[in-house]
Amino acid sequence: MSNVRVGLVGIGAQTQENLLPSLLQTPDIHVAAACDGVAERARLVHRHIKDVELYDDIAKMLTDTKLDALVVACPPQAHRDIATLAMSRGVHVFVEKPPCFTLEELLSLTELSRKSGLVTGVGMNFRFARPIQHLRLIRSEPHFGRTAHIQLNHYANKPRAPMWGLDSTLRSFLLAQAIHTIDLAMLFGGDVKETRSEVQNDNGSLIVEINISFKNGATASILTGTMFPYFEFEMKLISDTSTMVRLDNLSDITLHEPDHVTRAGGNDKRWRGYWRPGPLDSGYVRSGYQSELQSFFDAIRTGGKFEADFANLIPTYEVIEQVCEKGDRLAADVAIDALNLLQGHKPDLQASDLGQ
Ligand code: NAD
C-alpha cells in the first residue's frame, strides 16, 4: 500500500494545531474524509485541504468512504467507541491519549485489536519527541551500562476538577497528563515488579508520588500532581556506570560522566556534555507528533507493529489503577474522619457506609 487513505475524527484543538499539520508533512498520506459531531468543526479541514469528504457521523463516514486508517482526537469515551467500530470494519486506528477510561476497557480494546490483526496506536508523543529519542540513543550505547534509576518530575496546575464526565479529579489528571510520564517510566524501566503510591488531595489540588520497582532491578520515582504553579518537566536517567543524563523541559539534555575521553579534549574527569534540539527542527518533529504518525503509517505499510499500541499501554494503565485505588481509599478515609467528627467521633463507621 503506497498511499494510506486516512479519515480524521474530532476536528478540535489537537487535530487543528498538531495532528493535521503533522499529517500534511507526512508523505504518502491522503486525508480522504473528516468527521466531527459538530458539522462546522469538520468544515475547518477545508481551510487546509479541499478534496475531503465531510461527515458529522462516524458510522456513515466508514460506510460511505473507503478508508485504511482513522486518526481520532476526541474525548476518551469516543476514542474507545470509535476504535471499537473502526476495528469491526477492518480499519486501522490511531487515537489520541487517553484511549479509554479504565484498564478493563483497555484490555477489551487490546483483545479486539489482537483478533482483528489491525495496527492500533495511541498518541504518546512524548516518547517520539526529539529529546526523548536522543535519550533513547544515549541509553542504547554500551558504555551507558544498565539503567538503574529513572526520576521523573512532571509539575502541572490542571485539571483541578473532573473531566470528560468522570467523577474523579485524580483519574482525570492521570489520564490527561501523567499518562505521558508513567509511559516514559515504562519505556525506560521495563517489566514492572511492584508499584507504590501516595496521593495528597486538597480539593482537587494533587500531589502524587509513584515509586515503581522493575523486574530487572531498576527503580523509578515520579513526582507529579496539580499543586504546582505551572507546567515543568524534568527527567534523569542514572546508570550503573555512574552516568547521569538530565532532561529539562523536554528540550535540553545534560550528560554527566565520571570520566570521558575525546580526541579533541583528551581524558577528562567530571565531564559534562550538552545537547539541545536544532533551531531548525520543525515543531511537529520536535514534539513527536509527526514522528509518531509517520511510524504508525509505516507499521500499516509494512504489516509491522506500532510501538505505542493498545497492548503496550497496559502496564501504564495498571499503574494508573493502582494510584486511583490508593487515592480513592484516601478520599474515603478523609470523608469518614469528617463524618466521625460531625457525629461526635463515633468509631464504627466503615468505608462501605459511604458507598465507597
Ligand atoms: P476538543 O474538545 O477541542 O476537540 C474534540 C472534538 O471531538 C470536538 O470538536 C468534538 O465535537 C469532537 N467529538 C467528540 N465526540 C465525537 C464523536 N463521537 N464523533 C465525532 N466527533 C466527536 O479537544 P482537544 O483539545 O482537541 O483534545 C482531543 C483529545 O486529544 C483529548 O483526548 C486530549 O487528551 C488529546 N490531546 C493530546 C495531546 C498530546 O500531547 N498528545 C495534547 C492535547 C490534547
Side-chain angles (χ1 to χ4, degrees):
M1 181 195 304
S2 56
N3 237 350
V4 180
R5 287 175 59 84
V6 177
L8 291 181
V9 191
I11 316 300
Q14 177 63 354
T15 296
Q16 290 175 56
E17 289 164 22
N18 294 314
L19 299 179
L20 182 53
S22 300
L23 285 168
L24 295 176
Q25 292 179 16
T26 308
D28 302 325
I29 294 301
H30 174 50
V31 177
C35 171
D36 195 291
V38 179
E40 57 268 31
R41 295 244 179 95
R43 272 197 288 281
L44 292 172
V45 171
H46 278 166
R47 286 184 181 169
H48 304 273
I49 358 171
K50 296 289 171 226
D51 183 20
V52 181
E53 301 289 333
L54 302 183
Y55 294 91
D56 61 9
D57 178 63
I58 174 68
K60 184 160 168 48
M61 179 169 100
L62 285 169
T63 304
D64 287 4
T65 315
K66 161 123 192 50
L67 296 168
D68 300 308
L70 292 186
V71 172
V72 188
C74 294
Q77 57 273 47
H79 294 162
R80 178 197 62 206
D81 296 346
I82 291 168
T84 303
L85 183 66
M87 288 190 279
S88 75
R89 305 275 188 105
V91 174
H92 305 286
V93 63
F94 175 98
V95 298
E96 257 307 340
K97 59 82 193 155
C100 53
F101 287 136
T102 63
L103 174 63
E104 202 184 341
E105 292 177 354
L106 184 65
L107 292 173
S108 302
L109 287 173
T110 304
E111 182 56 15
L112 279 178
S113 69
R114 194 188 57 76
K115 282 187 185 148
S116 69
L118 294 158
V119 179
T120 63
V122 181
M124 306 310 300
N125 62 296
F126 276 36
R127 49 158 101 186
F128 293 90
R130 271 283 279 135
I132 299 286
Q133 293 289 338
H134 198 73
L135 276 191
R136 292 171 79 167
L137 192 70
I138 292 173
R139 209 274 286 260
S140 69
E141 295 292 333
H143 61 257
F144 181 78
R146 177 184 72 81
T147 303
H149 186 71
I150 307 137
Q151 190 176 324
L152 291 142
N153 294 338
H154 175 159
Y155 307 136
N157 59 5
K158 60 181 183 190
R160 290 188 179 180
M163 299 168 69
W164 301 312
L166 288 168
D167 58 8
S168 160
T169 306
L170 177 61
R171 187 176 287 272
S172 304
F173 166 69
L174 294 169
L175 291 173
Q177 296 241 3
I179 190 169
H180 284 301
T181 314
I182 299 168
D183 180 59
L184 288 180
M186 300 301 152
L187 180 67
F188 287 96
D191 291 339
V192 174
K193 191 170 99 189
E194 194 192 356
T195 302
R196 281 153 286 131
S197 65
E198 290 293 332
V199 177
Q200 292 183 49
N201 187 342
D202 188 358
N203 274 328
S205 180
L206 303 163
I207 294 278
V208 182
E209 288 175 84
I210 308 171
N211 289 293
I212 305 169
S213 317
F214 297 95
K215 288 182 183 159
N216 57 17
T219 49
S221 67
I222 300 174
L223 172 63
T224 187
T226 55
M227 208 182 278
F228 297 93
Y230 40 72
F231 174 79
E232 284 234 353
F233 182 89
E234 301 161 356
M235 175 172 178
K236 281 184 189 139
L237 290 181
I238 297 122
S239 82
D240 65 351
T241 59
S242 296
T243 301
M244 181 168 77
V245 200
R246 200 179 79 208
L247 169 66
D248 290 310
N249 276 324
L250 277 176
S251 168
D252 294 16
I253 293 176
T254 315
L255 175 67
H256 302 255
E257 291 176 293
D259 302 295
H260 186 80
V261 181
T262 60
R263 244 190 297 160
N267 193 348
D268 208 355
K269 299 248 179 239
R270 295 173 61 88
W271 190 88
R272 281 175 194 210
Y274 294 97
W275 178 93
R276 61 168 44 165
L280 298 180
D281 268 356
S282 125
Y284 303 111
V285 173
R286 188 169 163 174
S287 56
Y289 294 121
Q290 213 260 326
S291 323
E292 66 179 359
L293 287 167
Q294 175 87 56
S295 165
F296 172 73
F297 293 120
D298 284 349
I300 293 175
R301 279 197 200 91
T302 59
K305 196 170 124 36
F306 176 63
E307 70 164 70
D309 64 7
F310 290 154
N312 187 269
L313 266 277
I314 291 173
T316 295
Y317 268 71
E318 285 170 345
V319 171
I320 288 174
E321 292 301 342
Q322 196 279 351
V323 177
C324 285
E325 201 182 301
K326 192 81 195 286
D328 287 346
R329 249 185 283 142
L330 170 93
D333 288 349
V334 170
I336 287 168
D337 286 351
L339 266 176
N340 280 336
L341 206 67
L342 278 174
Q343 294 173 354
H345 299 278
K346 277 187 195 153
D348 52 353
L349 196 57
Q350 304 291 315
S352 55
D353 299 330
L354 299 168
Q356 301 285 339

